[in-house]
Amino acid sequence: MTKAERAFETRERILRAACEVIADIGFENVSMRKVAEHAGVSKALLHYHFDTREKLFAEAMTHSFAQTGTDLDGGDADLPSGVLLARIVRTMLPTDEELRQDWKLWQELWVRAQRDDAARHLAVDLYDQLHAWVGGAVERGVATGEFAPCDVAAISTLILALCDGLGIRVMLADARVDLPTAQATIWSAIAPSLGISPVFPEVRTAAELQA
């Protein structure tokens, strides 16, 4: 392993550890020492890669966001647009333990964004990327004729808003909104504009397909 590869591996390990610690105890309770211990590195090495707690938080959020779409990489070109969009919706909800951790990080970001400009700008930037991700799937469906012509930006905004609102209820273990209810509610809301069936498609992740 080269020096650059070792540095990359260490950085990735630190970011994974930071995501886990922040999701577990909340950003306000996180110290650089706790992250270093969880990552199995020295505090000095942690500071070499991330000199402040705020920079570590921002990088951890970006890392978590980047991993969100990893399961959708590969094979997308062969998927019907409806299935692709359904997989994106499923990925943006707290579907499994890994995604529940991502949701905890997002909740931390929402709180910090109310009183910290850097966190607010980061949140807006990540939402812009989510909007483009969803919009790309909708545009693809319109282009292939699978979806009816529609206001792509409005549909994308609606999907993100519904995922946020219903996802919180799922995270709270609200008896009125479980995961299937959240998925069905989102799909029935967008189906008329897209000209598709209101029934949420059966979708599986790439990991499930390979199992």
Side-chain angles (χ1 to χ4, degrees), residues 8 18 29 34 54 56 58 76 80 86 88 95 107 117 121 138 142 157 169 183-185 199 201-202 204:
F8 177 80
N29 297 314
K34 289 179 179 177
E54 287 69 26
L56 176 59
D76 288 357
I88 290 175
T95 310
Q107 290 169 324
D117 280 344
H121 288 304
V138 176
V142 172
T157 297
R169 303 281 292 276
Q183 294 176 156
T185 301
V199 179
E202 289 190 20
R204 290 188 291 171

Side-chain angles (χ1 to χ4, degrees), residues 1 3-4 6 18 40 42 45 74 85 89 92 123 135 142 156 158 164 168 171 181-182 198:
M1 183 181 294
K3 183 178 180 180
R6 286 196 300 272
S42 68
L45 183 56
L85 184 59
V89 167
M92 291 196 301
V142 172
S156 301
L158 177 60
D164 279 350
I168 290 172
M171 287 291 291
T181 299

Side-chain angles (χ1 to χ4, degrees), residues 65-83:
F65 176 85
Q67 300 306 306
T68 299
T70 299
D71 185 55
L72 299 182
D73 289 343
D76 288 357
D78 299 325
L79 289 175
S81 294
V83 173

